[in-house]
Amino acid sequence: LLQTIRLDTVTAEYTFEVSGNAGATNTVCVRPGSIAIVSASCPDQICVHHSRISRNKETIVCLPDKVVITIENGEDSGIDVLQH
């Protein structure tokens, strides 16, 4: 665990950098009530294109950089299963 952020107490947007696997970097943007990865050194950029998360159990994963962001104890989305 690198950091715990209470999204319900964030009052202004800010960013910070996370060092990942083998010197990789990810820039995380925190806003009141939500969080996202806005830039990453990974080749596929899936984590950057993922929408912001704000609800309980939502996750953003950057597999190449081995970075995971998960919402815990947040508001439930009301969705039990989502099929693609």
Side-chain angles (χ1 to χ4, degrees):
L1 179 63
L2 176 68
Q3 193 171 149
T4 300
I5 301 167
R6 288 199 46 138
L7 295 177
D8 62 342
T9 64
V10 174
T11 58
E13 180 178 313
Y14 67 94
T15 61
F16 64 95
E17 193 168 282
V18 176
S19 297
N21 188 41
T25 59
N26 295 71
T27 302
V28 177
C29 179
V30 180
R31 290 183 184 162
S34 69
I35 191 166
I37 295 178
V38 293
S39 70
S41 60
C42 62
D44 58 19
Q45 299 290 294
I46 292 170
C47 58
V48 175
H49 297 295
H50 193 288
S51 60
R52 301 186 74 77
I53 60 173
S54 62
R55 299 204 178 257
N56 197 35
K57 307 293 185 202
E58 288 183 315
T59 302
I60 300 173
V61 178
C62 181
L63 280 177
D65 292 350
K66 297 186 178 173
V67 174
V68 178
I69 299 173
T70 302
I71 303 291
E72 293 184 0
N73 300 322
E75 183 180 323
D76 284 328
S77 68
I79 299 171
D80 291 328
V81 177
L82 183 62
Q83 265 186 314
H84 291 276

